[in-house]
């Protein structure tokens, strides 16, 4: 049985990573957490978000498409790969401007989980980061 891919998406601070980590913790042999930004940083050879911000948005989208598609392809080709829970965005929010960050890899997801929270909770989490 090949791996299934589930995209967990939502705004920064909503709790995507926390939710995924709790799922993986309950059954680590069955699920693997993939952070889209970590895959992208590794692919581009950077380690911080500040370095990542230096790249053009369009270039980052193209790079993410290549890097995340490769991770998904390897998982789906492996007979024993656990299901991937990918933590990534479909929209990019920057000082009031909203742009799409979707690429072809998003369409390969077997399911999409839109994570939401009360806006005040999300705002509190963002300001603490």
């Amino acid at each position: 049985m090949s791996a299934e891919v589930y995209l967990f998406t939502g705004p920064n601070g909503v709790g995507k990573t926390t939710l995924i980590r709790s799922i993986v913790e309950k059954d680590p042999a069955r699920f693997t957490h993939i952070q889209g930004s970590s895959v992208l940083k590794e692919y581009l050879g950077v380690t911080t978000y500040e370095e990542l911000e230096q790249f053009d948005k369009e270039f980052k989208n193209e790079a993410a498409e290549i890097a995340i598609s490769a991770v998904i392809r390897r998982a789906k080709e492996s007979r024993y790969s656990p299901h991937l829970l990918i933590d990534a965005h479909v929209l990019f929010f920057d000082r009031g401007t909203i742009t799409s960050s979707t690429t072809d890899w998003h369409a390969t997801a077997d399911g999409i989980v839109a994570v939401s929270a009360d806006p005040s909770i999300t705002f509190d989490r963002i300001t603490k980061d």
Side-chain angles (χ1 to χ4, degrees), residues 19-117:
L19 175 60
I20 293 172
R21 286 180 180 160
S22 68
I23 293 168
V24 172
E25 187 177 281
K26 289 183 183 0
D27 197 349
R30 189 170 172 205
F31 299 105
T32 296
H33 178 197
I34 304 294
Q35 281 190 296
S37 59
S38 295
V39 172
L40 179 58
K41 286 189 294 188
E42 183 178 328
Y43 180 79
L44 294 175
V46 299
T47 57
T48 67
Y49 286 103
E50 290 77 20
E51 292 172 303
L52 193 58
E53 288 175 2
Q54 301 307 310
F55 293 98
D56 174 78
K57 290 176 205 164
E58 198 169 308
F59 176 78
K60 286 189 289 190
N61 272 357
E62 291 171 10
E65 171 63 25
I66 293 166
I68 297 172
S69 290
V71 170
I72 292 170
R73 191 171 37 261
R74 282 192 304 270
K76 288 198 175 254
E77 289 172 354
S78 171
R79 189 178 160 141
Y80 303 104
S81 183
H83 301 305
L84 301 181
L85 307 182
I86 301 179
D87 178 348
H89 295 280
V90 295
L91 295 174
F92 180 75
F93 298 87
D94 184 23
R95 296 176 186 89
T97 302
I98 303 170
T99 55
S100 172
S101 59
T102 57
T103 61
D104 291 343
W105 78 262
H106 289 86
T108 66
D110 296 295
I112 298 174
V113 178
V115 182
S116 64

